[in-house]
Amino acid sequence: MRNIFVSSTFQDMQAERDIIRQKVFPAINKVAACHNDHIEFIDLRWGIDTLKQSEQEASIKIMSACLNELRRSDDLMIILLGDRYGWTPDIAYLRNLQRIWDIVSIREQMSATAFEIEHGVFHGNKRALVYFRKLENIGVTDIPGFYFEQNSENRKHLEELKNRLRKNSRCKVQEYSVHFKDGTIEQDDMDAFARRLKEDLEKELAEKWEEFDQLSNFDQEQEIQWGFIQQKAEGFCARGREIDLLMSKIQSWSNGSKCKNQNVFSKNFVHFIIGSSGSGKSTMLSKLAVCLRQEGRDVLPFIGGLTMDSNDTIRVLNNIVYYIEEQLEIDHQVKFGVDEARYVTKKELGESVAQGHTSIATLNRQKLQKRLEEVAEQYVDGHSPLIVLIDALDQFYPDENRDDLVFCSPKLNGNVQFIITCTPEIKTKAVDKTILKKLKGDDQLLTIRSALKYRHKEISEEVISELLKSKGTENPL
């Protein structure tokens, strides 16, 4: 996921900000999804609580939040400049910001927008797509005064800023024209701007997307799974106690996993997280996955229904085998991918049917399970146990393979361990489980605050207090 910061003056650029949110955002993400990417435009003016503050107080609060998010954002930003220089804070405040953010600017006093650009481009060396707006029908129709800079000194500063951006090698500067009708910008002009910005973003991101496209099918699958997990985990901070308990349990598994002939169920190497829809199972599992990875654990995730390779348990079994073969650097006896998940030979099938034994599906299942047992036995040397995370078992294709947990091969030992989430409707073999209860107290508040932080938004304490009175906040979703 990429966070792209949008910098501009405020009131006069509202039409552009709206079109970015309404049209560019969904359009670019439709393309990005094909390359396992997601774009978020950071525009904190869409969600900072300034209701009880003066315009200056609000601007100062927004500016502080913007600088913080600008530093955390992607190395590409979008800059929109028209004929206004923008609100200028007092010198003392700017000096304090420069000290806090360790920025040396070319002038002592500048607008908030200019300071953002100074921080991002000239100090932070970000790349930028820069768009200068040209008003076409000045004098022909009425244009609201807030589209123009009234201060002659600020007009000079604005032109100086534009010239610096033109000369910067990391900036791609373009001009676009707009016409006014009845005091507002014509919609056709805004639609044309949206199309241009989308095309420019595609060109800028093409190199990163090409890197994904060149990966093997297996590596692409893992990128997709981990991309989902990273996105989910960023919005998580509740249920800390449950995470700590699961981390301790996994450590205890590791301590006893090297003993041979330990069945995954008899030694409880399978643990279920059970909760109703929206109770936070996926987010909790995602946070667990990130914590395990940070510890250097070997983790293989499957998010139910996310891709064609994670909606069928026989495919999960196949791909676990493939992954272990890959890690062991041995010849693959199975192939990765949806269309190649069956690997029973015609000869084997003919012999089995001739003897009146079994179907191709059953034979395939038995062969895959046997192969898993073989490679898992080898995996003990030089590898930590493989932790397979399966999210939303209830979203997998409902057949006997799912009901029997086909990936938990009967003779599989503790070299492969499982954490599985599902709804209460799924009947499981395992007695080892965590039941997710409704959120209470601090966890409710943490969930609200983390959701807001993840989306770069604020709401007032009064609204939060009202939310906490609702029974709906007992459920994270």
Side-chain angles (χ1 to χ4, degrees):
M1 188 176 88
R2 305 178 195 283
N3 293 316
I4 297 179
F5 192 89
V6 181
S7 179
S8 79
T9 47
F10 186 28
Q11 188 177 11
D12 63 314
M13 284 289 174
Q14 192 62 52
E16 282 82 352
R17 289 179 176 274
D18 286 345
I19 204 78
I20 288 174
R21 184 177 71 249
Q22 294 165 3
K23 293 195 174 180
V24 180
F25 176 78
I28 193 65
N29 275 308
K30 187 175 182 179
V31 179
C34 299
H35 308 278
N36 186 40
D37 204 357
H38 179 78
I39 311 301
E40 287 284 347
F41 293 110
I42 301 178
D43 182 346
L44 298 193
R45 292 170 179 82
W46 296 340
I48 295 293
D49 176 30
T50 56
L51 186 63
K52 296 182 179 180
Q53 295 171 312
S54 68
E55 182 178 358
Q56 181 173 346
E57 288 172 334
S59 297
I60 288 172
K61 182 174 184 181
I62 290 170
M63 192 171 177
S64 298
C66 281
L67 291 174
N68 185 50
E69 292 298 333
L70 180 57
R71 179 161 290 187
R72 293 171 51 200
S73 65
D74 200 73
D75 70 340
L76 175 68
M77 63 185 293
I78 296 169
I79 297 172
L80 312 174
L81 290 174
D83 291 273
R84 286 195 65 199
Y85 189 54
W87 171 77
T88 301
D90 60 52
I91 291 177
Y93 177 70
L94 278 176
R95 283 175 180 165
N96 188 46
L97 276 181
Q98 290 181 31
R99 179 185 59 79
I100 293 171
W101 294 95
D102 190 26
I103 296 173
V104 178
S105 56
I106 64 166
R107 63 174 61 261
E108 194 169 43
Q109 192 163 22
M110 62 177 62
S111 71
T113 303
F115 195 83
E116 286 177 3
I117 295 169
E118 192 78 35
H119 180 42
V121 174
F122 302 117
H123 182 77
N125 291 319
K126 289 182 183 289
R127 297 176 296 124
L129 293 174
V130 184
Y131 300 89
F132 296 156
R133 182 179 62 197
K134 182 181 179 182
L135 304 178
E136 286 291 358
N137 51 347
I138 298 175
V140 178
T141 186
D142 289 334
I143 300 177
F146 60 75
Y147 281 94
F148 302 97
E149 180 56 64
Q150 306 300 327
N151 184 296
S152 60
E153 194 67 24
N154 282 348
R155 285 199 291 271
K156 293 179 184 177
H157 296 335
L158 175 61
E159 193 54 39
E160 179 187 72
L161 175 61
K162 287 182 176 181
N163 284 332
R164 289 178 70 203
L165 288 168
R166 288 187 185 102
K167 294 175 182 177
N168 190 287
S169 61
R170 296 178 66 79
C171 295
K172 294 186 178 179
V173 180
Q174 301 181 59
E175 187 177 88
Y176 66 102
S177 298
V178 298
H179 300 77
F180 277 79
K181 184 177 181 180
D182 299 328
T184 60
I185 296 175
E186 296 247 26
Q187 187 60 44
D188 286 349
D189 292 335
M190 282 294 91
D191 290 341
F193 166 76
R195 287 192 296 271
R196 180 187 295 188
L197 177 54
K198 174 184 173 286
E199 290 170 3
D200 292 344
L201 283 168
E202 285 188 51
K203 291 175 184 176
E204 286 297 314
L205 297 169
E207 185 178 343
K208 294 289 185 184
W209 290 345
E210 187 177 347
E211 290 176 8
F212 172 79
D213 295 342
Q214 291 177 348
L215 294 173
S216 68
N217 290 340
F218 178 78
D219 288 337
Q220 283 188 4
E221 176 71 14
Q222 283 301 292
E223 285 283 320
I224 293 170
Q225 299 290 333
W226 279 105
F228 176 91
I229 285 168
Q230 293 286 355
Q231 190 174 342
K232 277 281 187 181
E234 281 185 26
F236 181 92
C237 66
R239 301 201 192 278
R241 179 176 175 274
E242 288 89 342
I243 289 287
D244 290 342
L245 289 172
L246 282 170
M247 291 293 288
S248 297
K249 176 176 288 294
I250 290 166
Q251 181 58 49
S252 70
W253 284 354
S254 299
N255 294 339
S257 65
K258 295 185 185 293
C259 301
K260 298 193 175 192
N261 302 318
Q262 290 188 340
N263 179 275
V264 286
F265 287 107
S266 64
K267 294 299 180 182
N268 286 335
F269 291 124
V270 179
H271 186 91
F272 276 84
I273 300 172
I274 300 174
S276 59
S277 297
S279 60
K281 301 182 297 299
S282 296
T283 308
M284 182 176 165
L285 192 75
S286 296
K287 182 64 176 180
L288 180 65
V290 170
C291 291
L292 290 168
R293 208 182 202 188
Q294 288 172 345
E295 283 194 355
R297 304 274 188 163
D298 195 3
V299 183
L300 183 61
F302 296 94
I303 309 300
L306 184 62
T307 70
M308 289 297 289
D309 275 296
S310 58
N311 68 359
D312 180 295
T313 48
I314 201 74
R315 290 173 188 155
V316 169
L317 169 59
N318 184 90
N319 295 340
I320 294 171
V321 174
Y322 183 93
Y323 176 82
I324 297 177
E325 289 176 336
E326 190 88 352
Q327 299 306 301
L328 292 173
E329 298 181 346
I330 60 178
D331 291 339
H332 287 293
Q333 289 193 18
V334 303
K335 295 181 180 180
F336 174 80
V338 172
D339 298 327
E340 298 172 328
R342 311 294 189 262
Y343 77 120
V344 175
T345 66
K346 288 184 179 180
K347 181 180 178 182
E348 289 172 324
L349 177 61
E351 291 174 351
S352 179
V353 172
Q355 296 170 16
H357 287 165
T358 188
S359 67
I360 185 172
T362 304
L363 190 60
N364 184 72
R365 165 177 169 159
Q366 292 170 351
K367 284 199 68 176
L368 282 170
Q369 288 181 325
K370 183 178 180 181
R371 180 58 177 167
L372 178 56
E373 292 161 9
E374 292 170 353
V375 294
E377 194 68 28
Q378 299 175 51
Y379 206 60
V380 68
D381 297 322
H383 296 85
S384 61
L386 172 62
I387 303 168
V388 179
L389 303 179
I390 297 178
D391 182 45
L393 185 63
D394 45 285
Q395 297 297 315
F396 283 74
Y397 185 74
D399 58 12
E400 63 177 7
N401 290 324
R402 185 189 73 173
D403 297 340
D404 294 342
L405 300 181
V406 65
F407 41 77
C408 294
S409 185
K411 297 180 181 178
L412 190 62
N413 60 28
N415 299 341
V416 182
Q417 305 162 359
F418 297 87
I419 305 284
I420 304 168
T421 75
C422 65
T423 57
E425 292 75 27
I426 298 295
K427 305 306 177 185
T428 68
K429 300 178 184 179
V431 295
D432 203 15
K433 61 188 72 173
T434 297
I435 307 295
L436 293 189
K437 300 178 181 179
K438 294 178 179 179
L439 291 180
K440 299 292 182 184
D442 289 344
D443 272 352
Q444 288 175 285
L445 187 59
L446 282 169
T447 300
I448 292 172
R449 295 200 187 284
S450 64
L452 291 168
K453 183 179 179 181
Y454 173 66
R455 290 166 178 81
H456 315 286
K457 306 297 180 189
E458 280 191 4
I459 52 179
S460 69
E461 291 301 318
E462 291 86 347
V463 174
I464 290 175
S465 295
E466 288 301 314
L467 281 174
L468 291 172
K469 296 175 184 177
S470 166
K471 287 187 177 181
T473 53
E474 295 177 345
N475 183 310
L477 185 59

